Amino acid sequence: MTIDVEQVKRAHPIADVIAAQGVALRRTGRRFMGRCPFHEDDRPSLVVYTDTQSFHCFGCGASGDVIDFVRRSHDLNFREAIDHLGGLPRLSSPPHRTVATRERPRPLSLDDRLILTAACELYHEALLRTPRALAYLEARGVPRWLARRARLGFSDGSELAPYLKRRRLSLRRAGELGLLYGDGREAMRGRIVIPDLRSGYCAWMTGRAFQGDIRAKYLGLALPRPLLGYEGVRGRRRIFVTEGPFDWLTLTGWGLPACALLGTQPGRGVERLLDRAHSVVLVLDTDDAGRAAAAALTESLGDRTLVLRLPGDAKDVSELGARPGGREAFFRALAAAEARVGSVEREEARHVAPSR
Ligand SMILES: [Zn+2]
């Protein structure tokens, strides 16, 4: 069978494919900018050109078309990348509309939830018997109890298809969800898996590559990104919001009610969820993208928002937490920020009171 490459590219606008993989893209004119998944990118170095349907990273030099992006992200050959794209839902809306905004999520079917939960449990068991994965978590300051509670996992890449088959769950659907490639290989292979749990089910997951892995740092499923961990904090008076999954794990490990944006661009519906909390503490990264996201969220959420500036030169709270004394430094900074807000509120009350 001959492949119409141009048709594949037309059916899969590059910005959508990149955004679906968890890269937050911000539009600037006819381009999108985002943090490059192929290197440790502190600034948005990745440019996505809609007119030529191509990408280029000014940090590491990675470049190409949508097929190159998929090949590189998933470590696939050309044919496998075409198959991978063919397994994704086709995007039929015109390019100027199919941007990085997340579409309204279609509710997961019961079968979807069973497949995702089966994968999550399989990966969790694998994590607990994989020294390399446990050592990685330990190095990043994630204690074993938290790994169990959050059902963190690891994919060794060989077990999912046979396991789903034994459970009589659909491999085809597992492929559509982004768990399996056409040849049965696992998308999450060799990655630490962080699931989003809802009502005892796994509803989404992302995989973190180990240090030194040439693939994309994070790989999410072919589903809209959730506010990671939101179920655990729903109804709480005060919610802490982080960027990345490991920042979320750090705060959760410290007993704080936290959830993660999974990037710097809150998806549709995320602000509505945060709006329900009485107060929101933003613990975002200390780079430009993190600061811009904090400013934007503060503007939309208003007075209830407290932006916590991390002490020292840590780029995020996960890095801070892994340092000696990091946890204490965090809580000191939090107390100081709260005291500042408290004194401003008292001051405002004094000015307002006489006129009433
Ligand atoms: Zn790069």
Side-chain angles (χ1 to χ4, degrees):
M1 192 183 84
T2 56
I3 307 162
D4 185 341
V5 173
E6 289 311 313
Q7 193 193 336
V8 170
K9 289 192 201 173
R10 273 197 305 277
H12 301 284
I14 189 166
D16 295 284
V17 171
I18 293 177
Q21 267 180 222
V23 178
L25 293 178
R26 183 179 296 251
R27 182 190 271 281
T28 53
R30 297 169 70 86
R31 307 165 169 191
F32 289 96
M33 307 278 301
R35 277 198 255 184
C36 174
F38 303 120
H39 77 279
E40 295 283 336
D41 194 6
D42 291 335
R43 65 191 71 212
S45 307
L46 183 76
V47 184
V48 181
Y49 304 93
T50 53
D51 47 358
T52 55
Q53 287 293 304
S54 62
F55 73 97
H56 179 79
C57 172
F58 288 91
C60 67
S63 65
D65 60 16
V66 67
I67 297 166
D68 296 314
F69 190 88
V70 167
R71 286 187 63 176
R72 199 163 168 142
S73 299
H74 302 271
D75 187 23
L76 300 175
N77 66 31
F78 182 79
R79 182 63 214 227
E80 290 165 340
I82 298 278
D83 288 347
H84 176 74
L85 282 168
L88 296 177
R90 270 156 200 269
L91 301 150
S92 50
S93 37
H96 67 273
R97 280 199 58 238
T98 62
V99 293
T101 52
R102 296 164 223 180
E103 297 299 320
R104 183 193 296 276
R106 184 166 64 98
L108 291 173
S109 70
L110 178 63
D111 275 354
D112 291 347
R113 285 183 287 165
L114 290 174
I115 291 167
L116 292 172
T117 305
C120 176
E121 291 305 318
L122 182 76
Y123 290 158
H124 182 58
E125 294 299 319
L127 177 104
L128 295 176
R129 59 181 146 75
T130 307
R132 176 165 166 248
L134 292 171
Y136 178 84
L137 292 181
E138 197 181 331
R140 299 210 56 181
V142 179
R144 192 71 60 89
W145 67 262
L146 181 56
R148 288 182 194 276
R149 201 180 87 179
R151 312 305 281 175
L152 301 186
F154 172 74
S155 162
D156 70 10
S158 65
E159 295 180 310
L160 184 61
Y163 182 66
L164 294 178
K165 219 180 266 176
R166 278 205 303 283
R167 302 266 316 262
R168 296 176 186 279
L169 293 165
S170 164
L171 298 187
R172 187 187 54 80
R173 188 59 192 147
E176 289 166 358
L177 290 168
L179 286 166
L180 291 173
Y181 298 132
D183 61 2
R185 276 197 298 165
E186 296 175 29
M188 296 293 163
R189 70 187 185 286
R191 292 174 180 272
I192 297 286
V193 177
I194 301 129
D196 187 46
L197 304 176
R198 275 176 243 166
S199 312
Y201 284 102
C202 170
W204 187 84
M205 59 175 73
T206 186
R208 173 67 161 91
F210 286 93
Q211 228 78 44
D213 193 320
I214 57 155
R215 299 177 301 171
K217 190 156 83 169
Y218 280 103
L219 177 67
L221 292 187
L223 293 166
R225 269 178 295 169
L227 184 56
L228 180 70
Y230 179 70
E231 177 168 287
V233 301
R234 187 170 42 202
R236 298 292 286 265
R237 194 174 154 78
R238 183 170 71 157
I239 292 178
F240 289 74
V241 177
T242 70
E243 268 188 51
F246 276 88
D247 305 321
W248 166 69
L249 286 167
T250 298
L251 294 188
T252 305
W254 292 345
L256 297 172
C259 51
L261 295 174
L262 302 166
T264 50
Q265 302 248 293
R268 182 180 296 183
V270 162
E271 287 175 16
R272 192 169 40 77
L273 295 179
L274 295 177
D275 216 21
R276 296 177 185 164
H278 181 264
S279 75
V280 175
V281 184
L282 300 177
V283 189
L284 305 186
D285 293 4
T286 53
D287 57 10
D288 289 346
R291 277 195 291 273
L297 273 171
T298 303
E299 195 173 316
S300 68
L301 294 172
D303 289 351
R304 81 191 70 204
T305 323
L306 175 66
V307 179
L308 187 70
R309 299 200 56 174
L310 293 176
D313 60 350
K315 72 175 179 3
D316 55 39
V317 73
S318 156
E319 188 183 306
L320 178 69
R323 292 180 182 176
R327 174 186 173 142
E328 293 71 22
F330 174 85
F331 279 98
R332 273 199 304 277
L334 178 61
E338 284 172 328
R340 269 199 304 279
V341 171
S343 67
V344 168
E345 278 173 359
R346 282 193 296 279
E347 188 69 18
E348 280 175 355
R350 206 162 37 233
H351 287 301
V352 167
S355 65
R356 284 207 174 141

